[in-house]
């Protein structure tokens, strides 16, 4: 049976202009029914639509924001922010040591949703004051809400609408120099854009891309293109956390979503996400399309719940960064960084 998440069907955009397109409810229901997902079809049949059967975009947005709000609470239960910071801290330290003159670093959360990770990193200061924090998502409603939350919380981070397969515009936004905020602006608001000919233009900061729960949405060439899009000259590494394809993952997803989420759409998609998770071989093969990056899978255990260990990242980084990162992680943690196809680079990694 084809596995489809409802949230992937209820919002559509023009591939050329990225303008939002109308979505018919009966077509969503038909796709879920054809996939053999009767429960998903029943949930979709209850979505608000107009007299012509077109889904109400405002109602869809409210529903998705509500689901992502519940997902944020679930992420807090799983301590995702801490787990991701545990890997990012040594990684950024290695990047700083490799090029002390590089200046500010940048961490970009791709598919950020409500920006829980970026906002947690900004609030905790876990990565240091020299790191720009940016969230990117294709869904304008989620970006708008993430930005509103960051403003309310007074956080120094940014959110922009962007395409995971073409991240250039997002980089341009974050590369603008910081300035003192005007009344009503949150800290770190970009100043006026400076083009390449501007003598005050600043160099692009070295970038690390991250994500949580995004990889399972892509299949085949799309998954490969996702990684390939991040192999730009300014990229030092990526760390994409997603559900491991274990027999325990769907069970854990069902338990946590039943316990912590109330929206049927969120519960449905949460379990389907775990069932759609990619195995390590698929992820490493796709990550190899990031030219010039060494693909690995990292499984840092040590958190109390065995269900939490089903969330782990696929990592890509420049070859020169791998030996110092292994040293920074220590022998025990480094042994869990596996999968590089070139064993001479991976120091014997399988």
């Amino acid at each position: 049976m084809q596995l489809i998440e409802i949230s992937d069907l209820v919002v559509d955009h023009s591939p050329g202009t990225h303008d939002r397109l109308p979505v018919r409810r009966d077509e969503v229901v038909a796709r879920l029914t054809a996939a053999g997902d009767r429960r998903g079809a029943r949930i979709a049949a209850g979505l608000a639509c107009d007299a012509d059967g077109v889904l109400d975009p405002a109602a869809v947005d409210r529903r998705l924001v509500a689901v992502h709000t519940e997902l944020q609470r679930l992420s807090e239960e799983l301590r995702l922010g801490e787990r991701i910071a545990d890997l990012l801290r040594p990684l950024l330290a290695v990047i700083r040591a490799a090029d002390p003159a590089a200046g500010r670093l940048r961490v970009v959360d791709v598919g950020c949703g409500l920006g829980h990770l970026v906002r947690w990193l900004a609030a905790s200061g876990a990565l240091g004051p020299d790191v720009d924090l940016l969230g990117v998502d294709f869904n304008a409603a989620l970006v708008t809400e993430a930005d509103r939350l960051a403003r309310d919380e007074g956080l120094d981070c940014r959110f922009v609408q962007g395409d995971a397969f073409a991240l250039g515009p997002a980089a341009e936004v974050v590369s603008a120099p910081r300035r003192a905020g005007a009344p009503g602006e949150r800290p770190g608001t970009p100043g006026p854009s400076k083009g390449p000919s501007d003598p005050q233009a600043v160099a692009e900061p070295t970038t690390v891309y991250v994500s949580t729960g995004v990889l399972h949405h892509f299949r085949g060439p799309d998954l490969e293109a996702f990684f390939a899009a991040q192999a730009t000259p300014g990229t030092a590494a990526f760390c994409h956390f997603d559900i491991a394809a274990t027999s325990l993952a769907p069970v854990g997803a069902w338990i946590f979503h039943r316990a912590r989420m109330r929206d049927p759409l969120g519960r449905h998609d949460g379990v389907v996400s775990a069932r759609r998770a990619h195995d390590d071989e698929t992820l490493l093969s796709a990550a190899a399309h990031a030219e010039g990056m060494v693909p690995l899978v990292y499984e840092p255990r040590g958190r109390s719940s065995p269900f939490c260990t089903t969330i782990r990242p696929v990592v890509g980084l420049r070859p020169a960064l791998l030996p110092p990162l292994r040293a920074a992680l220590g022998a025990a943690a480094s042994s869990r960084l596996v999968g590089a196809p070139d064993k001479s680079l991976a120091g014997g990694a399988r």
Side-chain angles (χ1 to χ4, degrees):
M1 182 179 78
Q2 183 184 9
L3 297 171
I4 305 175
E5 293 179 49
I6 300 170
S7 54
D8 285 342
L9 302 179
V10 295
V11 178
D12 193 16
H13 294 86
S14 167
T17 64
H18 295 175
D19 291 338
R20 189 161 180 169
L21 300 174
V23 176
R24 295 190 59 80
R25 186 175 67 182
D26 57 358
E27 292 177 357
V28 175
V29 172
R31 287 193 60 180
L32 291 162
T33 302
D37 187 350
R38 289 183 293 180
R39 178 170 178 267
R42 286 197 299 272
I43 295 170
L47 296 173
C49 65
D50 63 18
D52 296 324
V54 176
L55 290 177
D56 179 349
V60 167
D61 288 347
R62 288 194 298 272
R63 190 76 175 268
L64 293 181
V65 168
V67 168
H68 279 261
T69 300
E70 291 191 322
L71 281 172
Q72 174 175 320
R73 299 188 186 117
L74 185 59
S75 297
E76 292 166 354
E77 294 280 339
L78 297 175
R79 301 169 66 187
L80 279 182
E82 296 172 59
R83 299 177 63 200
I84 293 170
D86 284 348
L87 178 59
L88 287 181
R89 272 191 294 261
L91 176 59
L92 294 181
V94 165
I95 293 171
R96 291 187 187 100
D99 186 4
R104 298 187 66 81
L105 304 179
R106 175 174 59 198
V107 171
V108 180
D109 183 7
V110 185
C112 64
L114 296 184
H116 167 249
L117 173 61
V118 167
R119 288 166 39 231
W120 186 89
L121 291 171
S124 66
L127 302 183
D130 65 335
V131 179
D132 287 321
L133 297 169
L134 174 69
V136 181
D137 202 290
F138 200 63
N139 188 301
L142 298 180
V143 168
T144 299
E145 181 64 6
D147 189 66
R148 185 191 68 79
L149 291 168
R151 286 175 181 269
D152 288 349
E153 296 159 352
L155 298 176
D156 187 4
C157 55
R158 307 170 197 164
F159 296 94
V160 297
Q161 186 180 18
D163 187 341
F165 301 95
L167 292 164
E172 291 172 8
V173 170
V174 79
S175 66
R178 291 163 180 256
R179 62 184 171 84
E185 287 184 342
R186 61 190 165 88
T189 300
S193 177
K194 295 179 182 295
S197 60
D198 191 319
Q200 299 183 50
V202 295
E204 284 288 313
T206 302
T207 299
V208 175
Y209 289 101
V210 300
S211 71
T212 55
V214 170
L215 297 179
H216 65 267
H217 287 278
F218 305 130
R219 288 290 181 276
D222 287 344
L223 186 62
E224 296 167 0
F226 174 80
F227 288 110
Q230 296 166 30
T232 59
T235 303
F238 56 74
C239 305
H240 295 294
F241 285 72
D242 205 0
I243 308 162
T246 67
S247 58
L248 194 60
V251 178
W254 186 88
I255 292 173
F256 277 107
H257 285 77
R258 293 293 297 182
R260 303 299 299 164
M261 300 186 72
R262 295 293 174 265
D263 192 298
L265 190 155
R267 286 180 169 179
H268 172 275
D269 282 6
V271 177
V272 172
S273 294
R275 297 175 65 194
R276 297 175 76 191
H278 298 290
D279 59 35
D280 290 356
E281 182 179 356
T282 299
L283 290 175
L284 289 170
S285 176
H289 288 262
E291 187 176 355
M293 312 285 280
V294 181
L296 304 134
V297 170
Y298 181 59
E299 178 52 74
R301 292 180 179 170
R303 299 297 179 192
S304 57
S305 169
F307 295 104
C308 296
T309 61
T310 61
I311 304 288
R312 54 90 182 90
V314 57
V315 177
L317 70 167
R318 298 297 179 188
L321 298 175
L322 184 52
L325 178 61
R326 286 192 179 282
L329 292 174
S334 180
S335 67
R336 308 198 63 79
L337 192 59
V338 299
D342 185 344
K343 294 184 178 180
S344 65
L345 295 173
R350 59 181 170 83

